[in-house]
């Protein structure tokens, strides 16, 4: 087993390169593999009925290299051919059988997605970000991604009733309770699992680049400075750049020479900008 070289993009097939990595060496995996029948011109595409069998050997290696307390975030979206394809759902079930725990599903809402209409549906304005782990206990730093409480609190909490000052049971019989007085002095709260980032609409030189904020959000949530972030489908290098700017180490894998060169170029530029700003 070769020693893991940090802050490096490996050129080659993800499955073959991953086999060179030592076990339990990665803190976080964030990636967006080619979707079924997408990126046909650049990556060739994978048929929906073949997708699970194509991805599972890669997932097995990801499971091996991920630390026991690490996380795997998979950005993926099923396509439509008259009806919705099911390969993402099939993949989730197969990953669980492999031993992965499906902890949560974050929705990336593309808030500037262009409108559209087809004969039987509307344009997708969101994509899945599946959060998977090896164990029930994993590293997570929720306070880092807290958000302002919002304007709703000004009106709702400024004039509390007697019931709001104590924990009351839900009138719907759900068993849930509330105690709004605990919110009175709060300035920051935890976010929900719907993430709003604008898609990358400018020319990046890659067919399907995602915004830097997307991997960045998960990097902050699941790692500390100095941790190692892996993207086995690194593309134009977005995950690596987000890792660098947040003080993490990165490792990427890219099978296409064109995009490997692009990623190396983008990362070199980001390093230059980053160090000039931090000196």
């Amino acid at each position: 087993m070769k020693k893991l070289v940090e802050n490096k993009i490996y050129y080659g097939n993800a499955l073959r390169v991953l086999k060179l990595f030592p076990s339990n060496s990665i803190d976080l995996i964030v990636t967006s593999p080619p979707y079924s029948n997408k990126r046909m011109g650049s990556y060739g595409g994978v048929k929906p009925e073949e997708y699970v069998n194509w991805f599972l050997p890669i997932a097995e290696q990801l499971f091996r290299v991920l630390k026991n307390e690490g996380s795997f975030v998979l950005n993926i979206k099923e396509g439509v051919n008259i009806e919705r394809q099911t390969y993402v759902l099939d993949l989730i079930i197969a990953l669980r059988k492999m031993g992965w725990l499906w902890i949560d599903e974050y929705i990336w809402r593309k808030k500037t997605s262009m409108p559209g209409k087809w004969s039987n549906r509307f344009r997708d304005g969101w994509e899945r970000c599946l959060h998977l782990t090896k164990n029930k206990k994993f590293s997570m730093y929720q306070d880092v991604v807290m958000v302002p409480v919002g304007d709703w609190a000004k009106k709702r909490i400024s004039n509390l009733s007697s019931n709001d000052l104590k924990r009351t049971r839900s009138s719907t019989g759900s068993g849930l309770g509330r105690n709004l007085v605990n919110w009175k002095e709060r300035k920051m709260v935890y976010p929900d699992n719907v993430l709003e980032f604008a898609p990358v609409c400018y020319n990046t030189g890659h067919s399907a680049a995602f915004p830097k904020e997307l991997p960045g959000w998960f990097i902050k949530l699941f790692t500390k400075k100095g941790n190692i972030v892996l993207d086995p489908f690194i593309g134009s290098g977005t995950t690596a750049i987000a890792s660098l700017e947040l003080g993490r180490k990165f490792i990427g894998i890219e099978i296409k020479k064109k995009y490997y060169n692009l990623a190396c170029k983008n990362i070199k530029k980001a390093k230059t900008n980053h160090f000039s700003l931090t000196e």
Side-chain angles (χ1 to χ4, degrees), residues 28-195:
L28 172 66
I29 302 163
V30 181
T31 196
S32 181
Y35 301 172
S36 175
N37 286 344
K38 297 294 185 181
R39 310 183 197 176
M40 299 289 286
S42 52
Y43 289 101
V46 182
K47 294 180 180 179
E49 61 271 20
E50 298 173 357
Y51 200 90
V52 172
N53 288 336
W54 169 76
F55 193 80
L56 283 184
I58 299 170
E60 187 175 17
Q61 289 301 315
L62 296 177
F63 192 94
R64 181 184 63 80
V65 303
L66 186 67
K67 291 181 179 179
N68 290 331
E69 66 276 15
S71 287
F72 171 27
V73 177
L74 177 62
N75 170 222
I76 195 168
K77 178 67 174 179
E78 66 274 15
V80 179
N81 184 11
I82 305 301
E83 64 172 342
R84 283 280 178 191
Q85 297 166 346
T86 64
Y87 71 87
V88 175
L89 303 178
D90 296 334
L91 179 61
I92 293 170
I93 293 171
L95 290 172
R96 293 181 71 244
K97 289 180 179 178
M98 181 181 287
W100 289 100
L101 303 180
W102 183 25
I103 300 298
D104 202 359
E105 179 175 43
Y106 294 83
I107 297 301
W108 168 28
R109 180 175 178 269
K110 302 178 180 181
K111 60 182 180 181
T112 59
S113 178
M114 293 290 291
K117 173 186 175 294
W118 284 257
S119 60
N120 63 344
R121 65 186 184 94
F122 300 103
R123 179 183 295 276
D124 278 336
W126 61 279
E127 292 188 12
R128 303 174 186 270
C129 292
L130 307 175
H131 177 211
L132 302 120
T133 68
K134 296 169 67 171
N135 294 292
K136 293 181 180 178
K137 292 185 178 181
F138 51 89
S139 299
M140 189 174 188
Y141 308 97
Q142 294 174 316
D143 289 355
V144 181
V145 296
M146 294 182 80
V147 296
V149 66
D151 292 337
W152 68 270
K154 295 178 182 179
K155 183 177 180 180
R156 181 67 184 88
I157 300 177
S158 61
N159 187 23
L160 296 177
S161 67
S162 58
N163 283 338
D164 292 331
L165 300 176
K166 61 184 179 180
R167 186 169 184 83
T168 57
R169 304 292 288 180
S170 171
S171 59
T172 63
S174 66
L176 301 176
R178 66 179 185 183
N179 190 348
L180 288 181
V181 71
N182 291 335
W183 294 80
K184 194 167 186 179
E185 303 301 325
R186 290 190 185 183
K187 303 297 182 184
M188 304 291 288
V189 294
Y190 296 112
D192 57 31
N193 59 0
V194 177
L195 312 176

